[in-house]
Amino acid sequence: MHSSIIGKIDKARKYAEEKDRVSITSLKATFQGNHDNYEVDFDYGSWYCECRSFLTRDICSHTMALQRMLDEMLVASGEPAPAI
């Protein structure tokens, strides 16, 4: 393995520990629920899920779980991504 690749791997490990370097402004994910798979979207602070619960309440366990997983990296509604 080239030394430049080893340096990139080390840098990637360091970056992965510094979550404040990343601001997620949009995201599309497939969430495997207990009953089905659901498409979940995040776009500048707004969540969407195709499950019945979200369609009737604008909140669901899938979006809440993703919010908890990604909380420190999500950009709030109307907030620009911070410059690094």
Side-chain angles (χ1 to χ4, degrees):
M1 192 178 303
H2 296 288
S3 61
S4 64
I5 297 297
I6 293 169
K8 299 284 186 213
I9 292 168
D10 288 339
K11 191 182 231 182
R13 285 185 184 136
K14 178 183 173 199
Y15 283 169
E17 294 173 7
E18 300 172 2
K19 292 181 180 172
D20 61 325
R21 289 181 173 268
V22 177
S23 298
I24 296 173
T25 56
S26 65
L27 168 78
K28 289 191 177 292
T30 301
F31 196 106
Q32 184 178 348
N34 287 338
H35 306 290
D36 207 347
N37 291 336
Y38 302 100
E39 295 301 314
V40 180
D41 298 325
F42 175 80
D43 191 34
Y44 283 99
S46 297
W47 286 101
Y48 173 79
C49 182
E50 65 183 357
C51 76
R52 181 175 301 213
S53 180
F54 190 89
L55 296 175
T56 58
R57 295 183 184 93
D58 287 336
I59 194 166
C60 66
S61 57
H62 315 113
T63 58
M64 286 189 282
L66 283 168
Q67 174 85 36
R68 290 179 71 114
M69 286 182 223
L70 303 170
D71 187 47
E72 45 191 64
M73 294 185 287
L74 297 173
V75 172
S77 180
E79 182 180 312
I84 297 178

